[in-house]
Amino acid sequence: MTDTPNYQLSQLRVLEAESIHIMREVVAEFERPVLLFSGGKDSIVMLRIAQKAFHPARIPFAVMHVDTGHNFEEVLAFRDKRAKELGVQLIVASVQEAIDNGSVSEPPDGTRNRIQTPVLLDAIDKHRFNAIFGGARRDEDKARAKERIFSYRDEFGQWDPKNQRPELWNLYNGRVHVGDSMRVFPLSNWTELDIWQYISEEGIEIPSIYYAHDRETFVRDNMVYAVHDVCRPKAGEEVSVRRVRYRTVGDASLTAAVESDADTVEKVIEEVSTTRITERGATRGDDKFSEASMEDRKREGYF
């Protein structure tokens, strides 16, 4: 008597299969797709899925990073290393260059997240990309929770939350006119915990900044920031060494760390599975300006 084969997929493999299907749909429907790759955990997972989707061929699109000039050094080094390993073209859209040539102005407070959007839109227009993969997930923010997997953007890169196309099951409407584009989110249905469990199962390397380590830090607005060239303590803000890690990585001037002893992927999974605060709520100062900060930025063309 032989054992009955088990054809059931785990939750992670169902999510992976959906993401692979989405990537193949985009490559089949669009002329010039590109994947946003910052060296963060979500875009690293997207690259792994892209490898699987098109294996044994190479990934059939370039990757692009909108570099604010204020990014963490460990993450940029990882970005360059991973792109080289995979042999994919890396396009860097530089916010610093845009400031230098006068196309954007640096805000008085020195933060640059807000001025990423015009740089992103200029790069999309310059390279004529009409489908842009992003690593956003619905569990990150309320504005992202209500966005479709295929998110239509008009000729100005703007998103209208009241004019989204319906998505029934896995049927996606990829029709765009010249100048329009589609933002595509293959990880929409994943959670932060799914991402970490996938990283564990696949044995994916990620930047060391995601694991607990000692840093000089200070507290501002109830968030823990590491001392950095672009993030210095103000008068009255006491500097002390804390054991911290990053749940998300972005502009160093606005991305906070969390106190943690999780220095392995197993410990991170345990930590994430018990937390009650979303990663953006815990770590992103730029999302605290108002309840609708993310939605406002997405209307302007941000991810």
Side-chain angles (χ1 to χ4, degrees):
M1 182 176 177
T2 58
D3 293 334
T4 303
N6 182 4
Y7 294 113
Q8 290 187 329
L9 294 177
S10 68
Q11 166 72 0
L12 279 184
R13 295 306 155 188
V14 170
L15 290 170
E16 179 192 62
E18 179 187 59
S19 301
I20 287 174
H21 168 70
I22 292 166
M23 285 195 175
R24 288 174 174 167
E25 280 289 300
V26 169
V27 170
E29 291 189 41
F30 293 87
E31 293 179 1
R32 291 185 64 79
V34 66
L35 186 149
L36 292 189
F37 179 60
S38 64
K41 66 184 187 308
D42 300 309
S43 56
I44 291 170
V45 165
M46 281 207 300
L47 269 184
R48 171 58 61 91
I49 291 169
Q51 277 185 283
K52 289 191 170 187
F54 305 105
H55 179 79
R58 294 172 61 177
I59 296 172
F61 39 75
V63 300
M64 181 167 72
H65 181 214
V66 181
D67 185 351
T68 66
H70 288 174
N71 296 94
F72 294 99
E73 294 77 7
E74 304 97 315
V75 180
L76 292 182
F78 186 91
R79 176 201 70 184
D80 296 344
K81 170 176 167 287
R82 192 67 184 126
K84 186 176 181 181
E85 287 172 348
L86 293 175
V88 294
Q89 180 189 7
L90 171 63
I91 297 167
V92 177
S94 171
V95 172
Q96 183 61 57
E97 286 183 12
I99 293 172
D100 293 343
N101 65 30
S103 58
V104 296
S105 299
E106 187 163 23
D109 64 2
T111 60
R112 294 182 173 182
N113 263 11
R114 199 83 188 185
I115 56 175
Q116 284 184 90
T117 300
V119 177
L120 168 67
L121 297 179
D122 284 348
I124 290 172
D125 183 60
K126 174 183 176 183
H127 296 281
R128 296 182 291 108
F129 295 130
N130 59 357
I132 304 96
F133 291 110
R137 309 186 316 270
R138 289 189 170 119
D139 72 332
E140 290 183 71
D141 184 271
K142 286 180 280 191
R144 285 180 165 165
K146 64 184 180 184
E147 192 165 12
R148 304 288 194 263
I149 291 175
F150 272 40
S151 178
Y152 170 77
R153 303 301 176 101
D154 64 19
E155 60 185 307
F156 303 106
Q158 296 174 324
W159 174 61
D160 182 355
K162 295 181 180 177
N163 188 28
Q164 298 186 86
R165 293 172 176 174
E167 285 183 350
L168 303 177
W169 302 285
N170 60 352
L171 301 177
Y172 306 113
N173 186 342
R175 180 179 297 178
V176 291
H177 297 101
V178 175
D180 299 340
S181 63
M182 198 70 75
R183 307 290 172 84
V184 183
F185 305 108
L187 305 182
S188 281
N189 293 328
W190 296 54
T191 65
E192 182 185 11
L193 184 58
D194 293 327
I195 293 293
W196 277 105
Q197 289 176 329
Y198 191 75
I199 288 170
S200 176
E201 281 197 10
E202 294 285 311
I204 298 173
E205 183 185 0
I206 59 171
S208 59
I209 196 171
Y210 281 110
Y211 298 118
H213 52 283
D214 294 332
R215 286 199 180 222
E216 287 192 330
T217 64
F218 61 92
V219 176
R220 178 179 298 162
D221 298 331
N222 296 318
M223 303 178 90
V224 178
Y225 290 91
V227 178
H228 188 278
D229 290 344
V230 297
C231 189
R232 313 294 300 183
K234 299 176 182 176
E237 293 177 334
E238 183 179 345
V239 175
S240 62
V241 175
R242 291 180 172 86
R243 192 156 182 78
V244 298
R245 74 175 192 86
Y246 285 85
R247 288 178 67 183
T248 180
V249 294
D251 189 297
S253 66
L254 286 168
T255 304
V258 294
E259 294 191 70
S260 170
D261 290 318
D263 54 6
T264 66
V265 66
E266 292 78 16
K267 291 179 182 177
V268 172
I269 289 172
E270 183 179 353
E271 182 181 278
V272 171
S273 66
T274 58
T275 188
R276 303 288 294 173
I277 305 175
T278 66
E279 63 185 84
R280 294 196 75 91
T283 66
R284 300 300 287 267
D286 48 332
D287 291 339
K288 291 186 176 298
F289 296 139
S290 77
E291 274 287 297
S293 287
M294 177 61 77
E295 185 158 328
D296 291 342
R297 295 168 69 195
K298 290 176 79 69
R299 285 175 185 270
E300 295 168 0
Y302 185 68
F303 268 82

